[in-house]
């Protein structure tokens, strides 16, 4: 309890929260038992990031989630994940864990009209890189899907009635040199903070 209180107090010193990529999210946090294809988890990291994200949401603080960070944002707000898309999603899937350089875009996404993401990117169709086997399953209350890949996987979520809470399933930090529009995601997040 003391560590939780310290974490909440420390959140008072930040103006925005960026949640990076990383390991899998423990399914205990969305009420499921571990699937056989679940990857490596870190309970301490999950606890820290979930606490920070819930606190940021309560304060209406700007939030940017990247890959695992998008998944964690969804879980913190009450949603769930596919623990392993290949074994849990019906139908053929794109390769969502690419075997190509990090700065190479391997599949397309459709961005929803009227979304924060479309305003940021200025386009309804973009190509992205991809390094994940988990993804958003049940979207959290108060959030909506704002991008999907052509195989139906959720590629972005954002909070409704919220200044800036965006989760993207790809890694824009690896794309900013070759695809400068991806830098706008970070610029808009910083401006919101």
């Amino acid at each position: 309890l003391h560590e939780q209180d310290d974490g909440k107090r420390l959140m008072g010193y930040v103006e925005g929260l960026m949640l990076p990529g990383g390991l899998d999210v423990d399914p205990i946090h969305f009420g499921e038992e571990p699937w056989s294809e679940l990857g490596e988890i870190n309970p301490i990291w999950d606890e820290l990031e979930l606490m920070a994200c819930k606190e940021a949401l309560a304060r209406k603080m700007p939030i940017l989630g990247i890959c695992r960070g998008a998944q964690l944002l969804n879980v913190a707000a009450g949603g769930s994940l596919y623990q392993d898309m290949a074994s849990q999603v019906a139908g053929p899937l794109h390769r969502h864990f690419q075997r190509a350089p990090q700065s190479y875009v391997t599949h397309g996404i459709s961005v929803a009209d009227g979304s924060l993401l479309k305003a940021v990117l200025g386009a309804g169709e973009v190509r992205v890189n991809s390094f994940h086997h988990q993804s958003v399953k049940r979207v959290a209350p108060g959030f909506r899907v704002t991008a999907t890949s052509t195989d139906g996987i959720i590629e972005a979520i954002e909070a409704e009635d919220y200044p800036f809470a965006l989760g993207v399933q790809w890694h824009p930090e690896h794309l900013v040199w070759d695809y400068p529009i991806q830098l706008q995601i970070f610029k808009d997040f910083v401006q919101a903070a």
Side-chain angles (χ1 to χ4, degrees):
L1 181 63
H2 180 65
E3 290 173 357
Q4 284 280 345
D5 290 342
D6 286 347
K8 288 180 180 182
R9 183 178 52 78
L10 289 173
M11 286 298 291
Y13 294 102
V14 299
E15 296 178 4
L17 178 66
M18 187 171 73
L19 300 162
L23 303 176
D24 284 2
V25 178
D26 188 339
I28 194 170
H29 298 296
F30 48 94
E32 293 184 9
E33 293 293 329
W35 200 257
S36 59
E37 286 80 7
L38 179 70
E40 184 180 351
I41 61 169
N42 184 319
I44 295 170
W45 198 247
D46 282 351
E47 184 179 339
L48 172 67
E49 285 192 327
L50 283 166
M51 178 281 304
C53 191
K54 288 175 182 178
E55 190 66 20
L57 286 166
R59 294 172 186 242
K60 292 266 190 186
M61 183 182 293
I63 302 170
L64 174 60
I66 296 171
C67 197
R68 168 198 156 89
Q71 298 161 11
L72 193 114
L73 172 60
N74 187 59
V75 169
S80 68
L81 305 178
Y82 288 111
Q83 296 181 43
D84 177 68
M85 295 179 307
S87 59
Q88 292 183 297
V89 176
L93 292 174
H94 300 320
R95 177 176 293 281
H96 284 275
F97 202 101
Q98 70 189 48
R99 293 181 182 161
Q102 293 176 329
S103 61
Y104 185 72
V105 291
T106 59
H107 71 78
I109 63 169
S110 296
V111 181
D113 288 337
S115 65
L116 169 65
L117 184 59
K118 186 161 186 184
V120 170
L121 295 178
E125 304 287 330
V126 294
R127 294 189 65 77
V128 297
N129 56 7
S130 196
F131 298 96
H132 64 105
H133 80 112
Q134 292 193 313
S135 69
V136 171
K137 180 178 175 182
R138 186 184 72 254
V139 180
F143 279 73
R144 69 180 185 125
V145 175
T146 55
T148 56
S149 52
T150 55
D151 58 1
I153 296 300
I154 294 170
E155 292 285 340
I157 60 169
E158 58 191 58
E160 300 172 313
D161 302 319
Y162 195 103
F164 191 106
L166 173 65
V168 298
Q169 189 56 72
W170 65 96
H171 283 267
E173 72 275 20
H174 297 303
L175 302 178
V176 296
W177 298 110
D178 295 327
Y179 305 92
I181 191 60
Q182 296 285 336
L183 182 60
Q184 196 62 43
I185 295 171
F186 299 101
K187 288 181 175 179
D188 284 17
F189 167 64
V190 169
Q191 187 173 3

